[in-house]
């Protein structure tokens, strides 16, 4: 699922939980289309309330590949107003998109990120940080060390990993390389913008 659709689902999460009842055709359709597996269906059905079932589905969907969002739209036959809202919102986001991605000046791309920038970036990243630093050339052992050195603070683990990358690569540890690895992991472009503000 592309980053824009993930963000769209996240932004409408609470609204979807109150409007969509996944007990009916939604789950069955997604199962039929191969988006959900048996274990996903069981996991969703095991939730106690309709809202929790919908939340569980919204947690699973972004991990189910590029066709997941469109299949989810197709599954909303019983909820045409929700489907329409999602499609409208998606169009709005597509229209806004080119304006959001402001070009980063080449002189900035060639510089190394500062400690302050790395701190800001760490605040916005979640579990995907490990894949990002692996993309940048750190090893699983390096990640393990960062976790051991900062056992109770995720942000400190992330900052430590980025600082290690910067120390190791010196002048080659550029914002451009960082941007490339963020894009490879489909991190929302606004995260990079926030870091550079």
């Amino acid at each position: 699922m592309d980053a824009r659709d993930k963000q769209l689902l996240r932004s409408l999460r609470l609204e979807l939980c109150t409007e969509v009842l996944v007990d009916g055709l939604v789950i069955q359709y997604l199962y039929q289309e191969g988006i959900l597996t048996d274990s996903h269906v069981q996991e969703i059905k095991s939730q106690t309330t309709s809202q929790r079932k919908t939340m569980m589905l919204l947690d699973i969907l972004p991990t189910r590949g590029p066709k997941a969002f469109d299949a989810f739209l197709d599954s909303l036959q019983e909820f045409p107003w929700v489907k329409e809202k999602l499609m409208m919102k998606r169009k709005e986001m597509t229209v806004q998109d080119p304006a959001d991605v402001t070009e980063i000046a080449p002189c900035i791309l060639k510089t190394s990120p500062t400690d302050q920038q790395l701190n800001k970036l760490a605040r916005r990243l979640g579990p995907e940080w490990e894949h990002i630093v692996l993309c940048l050339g750190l090893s699983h052992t390096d990640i393990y060390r960062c976790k051991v050195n900062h056992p109770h603070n995720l942000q400190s683990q992330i900052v430590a990993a980025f600082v290690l990358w910067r120390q190791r690569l010196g002048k080659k540890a550029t914002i451009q390389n960082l941007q490339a690895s963020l894009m490879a992991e489909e991190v929302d472009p606004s995260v990079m913008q926030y870091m550079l503000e």
Side-chain angles (χ1 to χ4, degrees):
M1 185 179 291
D2 82 29
R4 193 186 322 121
D5 292 339
K6 287 180 187 176
Q7 190 184 350
L8 173 58
L9 284 180
R10 198 177 310 129
S11 68
L12 292 175
R13 187 178 175 88
L14 293 175
E15 212 171 310
L16 289 169
C17 286
T18 56
E19 296 231 26
V20 177
L21 301 169
V22 297
D23 293 345
L25 296 175
V26 175
I27 293 180
Q28 295 310 318
Y29 182 83
L30 292 170
Y31 177 69
Q32 170 193 303
E33 295 302 307
I35 303 294
L36 297 179
T37 64
D38 277 331
S39 62
H40 290 138
V41 173
Q42 295 313 314
E43 202 174 349
I44 292 166
K45 285 185 172 178
S46 71
Q47 300 302 310
T48 48
T49 65
S50 290
Q51 271 107 344
R52 284 177 188 255
K53 287 176 183 172
T54 306
M55 277 191 189
M56 181 57 72
L57 174 64
L58 294 175
D59 288 341
I60 294 168
L61 272 177
T63 66
R64 300 305 297 156
K67 294 184 184 144
F69 190 83
D70 290 319
F72 178 58
L73 284 179
D74 293 341
S75 75
L76 295 171
Q77 299 306 326
E78 298 171 290
F79 308 97
W81 64 94
V82 177
K83 181 177 180 175
E84 204 163 293
K85 178 159 197 166
L86 281 168
M87 288 167 74
M88 288 289 291
K89 208 57 174 161
R90 194 184 199 189
K91 265 199 193 109
E92 284 169 26
M93 289 174 84
T94 311
V95 171
Q96 289 172 0
D97 216 28
D100 288 348
V101 183
T102 48
E103 283 296 308
I104 301 168
C107 56
I108 293 174
L109 287 174
K110 290 185 174 77
T111 61
S112 284
T114 63
D115 287 348
Q116 185 184 4
Q117 288 172 328
L118 292 177
N119 259 315
K120 286 176 88 173
L121 178 61
R123 259 183 256 146
R124 286 290 177 98
L125 292 178
E128 72 274 15
W129 76 272
E130 293 183 31
H131 296 289
I132 292 165
V133 297
L134 286 171
C135 260
L136 291 169
L138 266 66
S139 66
H140 287 285
T141 312
D142 295 326
I143 292 173
Y144 177 74
R145 275 202 203 105
C146 294
K147 287 180 168 182
V148 169
N149 292 341
H150 307 277
H152 305 298
N153 189 332
L154 179 64
Q155 191 177 336
S156 297
Q157 293 171 10
I158 299 170
V159 171
F162 283 128
V163 168
L164 180 62
W165 161 70
R166 200 177 57 192
Q167 286 169 346
R168 241 186 234 161
L169 292 183
K171 283 194 162 73
K172 288 182 185 162
T174 62
I175 288 177
Q176 189 168 13
N177 292 343
L178 191 54
Q179 184 184 31
S181 64
L182 290 173
M183 285 166 73
E185 283 305 310
E186 295 183 346
V187 174
D188 194 277
S190 66
V191 172
M192 192 72 181
Q193 291 300 326
Y194 172 76
M195 182 189 109
L196 296 171
E197 278 166 10

